[in-house]
Amino acid sequence: MSNRYSDRVLALAGLAQALHQVRRIAETGQSESSAVQASLESVFRIDAASPMAVYGRLGDIAPGLRVLRGYLAKEAGDDALPRLAMSVLQLERRFVSEDDTVHAVVRGLNEIAPRAEQQGSTHPDTLSALGGLYADTISHLRPRVMVQGNPHYLGQPGVVAEIRAILLAAVRSAVLWRQLGGSMWDFVLGRRQMLDAVDAWLD
C-alpha cells in the first residue's frame, strides 16, 4: 500500500467523520459523542508527529474510515455529504491563503486549549468557544459552507455552536489532506488506491 494514500485517507476520514456528524446534528439535533470528541480534539493537535497522532487511535477515526469507504465504493446514500466535503475542501484553499485568518485561528485554539483540557472538548463551554472562533474567522471566507437540515434544530444556538465547532475540525482535516499532497486528482485517478488504503486500515 502506498504510504501517500495511507496517510491521505486518514485525513479524508477525519473530514468525513466531522461532516457526517454535522449532517446528523443538522437533521436530528443529536450527535455521536465519541466521534465528535475525536474530531474536536484533532484541532488542538497542530504539531502532531503523524497523521494518526492527529486523531488519536485507529478506533477514534474508524467511523470516518467507514463513511469514507462507503463513498469511495459508491455505496453511501447521503448525497449532501460529498457536496459538503467539496465545499470544505474549496474553503480550505482560501483559508490557507489568508495568513491573518490562519494566525487568528491558531491564537484562538491556543486560548481555548486549556479549557478543553480541563472541561473536555465536547463540554458546552468548549463547543461555544470553538464555534465562536469559527464564526469570527473562517465563516467570513468564501465560499461559505452552507449546512442544510431541520430548521427546528438549526435555529438552536447550542446546535449551531456545535456545528461550527465541528466544521472547524473538518477544515483542520482538509488542511492536513493538502499538506499530505492530496488534490482533487486523487478522486479522479486514485479512487481505487484510496479504497485499498481504507480497507487496509479497517482490516
Side-chain angles (χ1 to χ4, degrees), residues 33-81:
S33 59
S34 59
V36 170
Q37 181 177 343
S39 293
L40 295 180
E41 289 179 355
S42 73
V43 304
F44 298 107
R45 298 176 181 139
I46 298 172
D47 297 318
S50 67
M52 180 58 77
V54 171
Y55 302 107
R57 301 174 298 107
L58 181 58
D60 295 329
I61 196 63
L65 285 165
R66 289 191 288 269
V67 171
L68 178 61
R69 193 198 185 286
Y71 281 94
L72 291 174
K74 300 182 178 180
E75 297 170 351
D78 185 0
D79 292 337
L81 197 149

Side-chain angles (χ1 to χ4, degrees), residues 119-202:
Q119 298 179 325
S121 60
T122 59
H123 189 279
D125 289 347
T126 305
L127 291 175
S128 178
L130 289 171
L133 178 60
Y134 180 89
D136 292 341
T137 56
I138 298 175
S139 71
H140 294 289
L141 302 177
R142 298 294 182 272
R144 294 189 66 180
V145 176
M146 305 301 294
V147 176
Q148 307 294 325
N150 188 320
H152 173 71
Y153 299 115
L154 294 178
Q156 299 177 15
V159 170
V160 172
E162 185 171 8
I163 286 174
R164 286 172 173 165
I166 301 171
L167 285 175
L168 190 62
V171 173
R172 193 270 180 269
S173 286
V175 170
L176 177 62
W177 180 64
R178 297 281 189 181
Q179 289 173 335
L180 294 169
S183 76
M184 294 301 179
W185 286 109
D186 287 351
F187 299 103
V188 178
L189 302 176
R191 181 181 290 266
R192 179 72 250 176
Q193 293 93 324
M194 287 196 292
L195 186 56
D196 289 344
V198 170
D199 285 339
W201 282 115
L202 290 174

